[in-house]
């Protein structure tokens, strides 16, 4: 950003794109940094302006991001597709042909299957100016060091335990809460619930090399590994986020029962197992993040 500010000319618009902005976490941090460094007044001194473009699929999270950031004068919001479905709109269409100077994708790429990631890389490359920067963070990309886990490993283990309970030949051996939940499941819902779960969290995490391969035709750069502690309580809270639990355990339609099952499996079985293992810490687990920094190469 500092380098770009040094280069601006009167009439320029410096644009940053927050890809998969969701509730606006990355944009809020960016907005704070812009305030601290006086980015907007410094650009104004040179006759230039700043815009922060937030894009995402329409939905509850993005609606919350809109509520939080709509009063910031330099934010702009764009949906990647029509509410209710329809095809993805490429970013060049979403941005009306405008180019951006930098793209941030915070906690997004690990959610994308390989084909979707390739489409995202192409779409981002089409709007990022040559020399522009793409940075991303992703906590659930394989592989990982032996002394860490990926962000969704605990959720995958909880789901594995739940499916094992659903298919057990001996329901009487289950904990009471599981027995009640298993008895409540309509078998006809199971295939659809599995599809929803697989869309929410990839059953097998994407590999960071697949992300790099999707970016390589357009970008130069690299991905580094960083490990941060995730508290046990945060693991549980992530699983209990309403949009997550509803999609990841759709077999259980009653919310209090679903939450009781998640609490039991996470707190009594999965977290103790992970915390006893090499990734365990006193209060949680070490999660390996992948941090990417890539520059758009000229066409
Ligand atoms: C874990 S949230 C992260 C949100 C935000 N970036 C943050 O840092 O809090 C992942 C976001 O990626 C969005 N997303 C999922 N698939 C996407 C895609 N194909 N293209 C763009 N965004 C996508 C979701 O809608 C969601 O808002």
């Amino acid at each position: 950003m500092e380098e770009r500010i040094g280069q601006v000319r009167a009439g320029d618009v410096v644009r940053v794109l927050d890809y998969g902005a969701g509730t606006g976490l990355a944009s809020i941090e960016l907005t704070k940094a812009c305030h601290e460094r006086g980015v907007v007044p410094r650009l104004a001194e040179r006759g230039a302006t700043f815009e922060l473009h937030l894009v995402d699929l329409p939905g509850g999270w993005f609606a919350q991001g809109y509520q939080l950031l709509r009063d910031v004068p330099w934010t702009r919001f764009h949906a990647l597709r029509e509410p209710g479905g329809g095809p993805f709109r490429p970013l060049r269409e979403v941005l009306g042909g405008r180019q951006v100077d930098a793209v941030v994708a915070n906690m997004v790429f690990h959610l994308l299957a390989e084909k979707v990631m390739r489409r995202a890389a192409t779409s981002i490359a089409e709007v990022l100016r040559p020399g522009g920067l793409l940075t991303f963070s992703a906590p659930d990309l394989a592989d990982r060091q032996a002394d860490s886990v990926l962000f969704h490993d605990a959720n995958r283990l909880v789901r594995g335990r739940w499916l094992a309970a659903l298919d057990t030949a001996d329901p009487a051996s289950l904990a009471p809460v599981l027995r009640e939940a298993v008895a409540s499941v309509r078998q006809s819902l199971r295939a659809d619930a599995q599809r929803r779960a697989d869309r929410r969290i990839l059953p097998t995490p994407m590999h960071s090399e697949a992300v790099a391969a999707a970016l390589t035709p357009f970008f130069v750069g690299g991905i580094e590994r960083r490990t941060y502690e995730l508290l046990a309580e945060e693991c549980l809270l992530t699983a209990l986020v309403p949009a997550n639990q509803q999609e990841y355990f759709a077999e259980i339609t009653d919310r209090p029962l679903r939450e009781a099952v998640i609490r039991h499996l996470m707190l009594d079985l999965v977290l103790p197992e992970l915390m006893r293992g090499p990734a365990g810490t006193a209060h949680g687990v070490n999660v390996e993040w992948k941090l990417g920094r890539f520059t758009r190469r000229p066409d």
Side-chain angles (χ1 to χ4, degrees):
M1 182 60 89
E2 288 303 320
E3 193 185 331
R4 180 72 182 103
I5 293 174
Q7 296 163 347
V8 292
R9 299 205 207 113
D12 279 358
V13 183
V14 175
R15 296 188 187 92
V16 175
L17 174 74
D18 183 354
Y19 186 80
T23 54
L25 191 72
S27 283
I28 289 168
E29 290 306 315
L30 208 66
T31 299
K32 286 197 282 194
C34 283
H35 273 301
E36 278 161 19
R37 292 171 194 196
V39 167
V40 173
R42 282 163 64 207
L43 286 173
E45 276 167 23
R46 295 169 166 78
T49 51
F50 179 66
E51 289 176 3
L52 173 56
H53 291 260
L54 291 83
V55 303
D56 205 323
L57 311 170
W61 285 355
F62 198 32
Q64 201 180 330
Y66 176 73
Q67 288 302 326
L68 290 171
L69 285 157
R70 67 180 174 173
D71 293 332
V72 178
W74 59 76
T75 52
R76 310 282 183 272
F77 297 82
H78 313 271
L80 282 170
R81 67 175 174 219
E82 297 299 324
F88 268 75
R89 299 161 65 212
L91 286 170
R92 66 181 136 67
E93 178 191 315
V94 166
L95 295 178
R98 285 166 292 197
Q99 275 203 326
V100 300
D101 297 277
V103 177
V104 178
N106 193 42
M107 295 194 288
V108 180
F109 287 170
H110 64 279
L111 301 172
L112 312 186
E114 224 164 309
K115 193 169 145 205
V116 183
M117 180 62 223
R118 282 200 298 272
R119 187 176 60 201
T122 307
S123 191
I124 290 170
E126 283 175 351
V127 297
L128 186 57
R129 70 165 170 80
L133 183 67
L134 162 67
T135 61
F136 71 83
S137 71
D140 197 53
L141 288 176
D143 56 357
R144 58 172 175 75
Q145 307 292 328
D147 58 357
S148 56
V149 292
L150 297 180
F151 186 72
H152 285 308
D153 282 349
N155 291 319
R156 290 188 189 93
L157 288 169
V158 168
R159 180 148 184 90
R161 299 268 188 163
W162 162 238
L163 292 178
L166 264 178
D167 292 329
T168 184
D170 181 17
S173 66
L174 297 172
V177 67
L178 281 179
R179 211 179 315 139
E180 187 186 341
V182 166
S184 77
V185 171
R186 295 217 323 260
Q187 289 299 319
S188 59
L189 286 182
R190 283 197 58 181
D192 185 52
Q194 188 60 50
R195 267 192 297 276
R196 286 167 67 180
D198 293 347
R199 268 204 306 266
R200 199 71 192 173
I201 296 176
L202 294 179
T204 307
M206 257 255 282
H207 202 288
S208 56
E209 283 172 8
V211 173
L215 296 172
T216 298
F218 316 101
F219 301 90
V220 281
I223 300 177
E224 71 171 288
R225 300 165 187 262
R226 287 269 181 89
T227 301
Y228 300 102
E229 185 183 29
L230 183 69
L231 302 179
E233 196 185 324
E234 294 169 327
C235 276
L236 178 65
L237 288 176
T238 305
L240 290 176
V241 165
N244 287 345
Q245 53 155 292
Q246 195 179 306
E247 293 304 304
Y248 204 50
F249 296 94
E251 294 91 353
I252 314 172
T253 52
D254 179 72
R255 181 168 165 179
L257 184 57
R258 188 165 63 220
E259 293 191 350
V261 166
I262 294 170
R263 277 178 198 283
H264 163 62
L265 292 174
M266 190 67 99
L267 295 179
D268 299 340
L269 301 170
V270 167
L271 281 174
E273 183 185 313
L274 287 178
M275 288 170 70
R276 273 196 307 272
T281 65
H283 301 291
V285 284
N286 281 320
V287 171
E288 185 178 295
W289 287 67
K290 307 294 187 297
L291 306 181
R293 195 178 166 84
F294 286 78
T295 304
R296 175 77 169 97
R297 47 167 124 234
D299 283 323

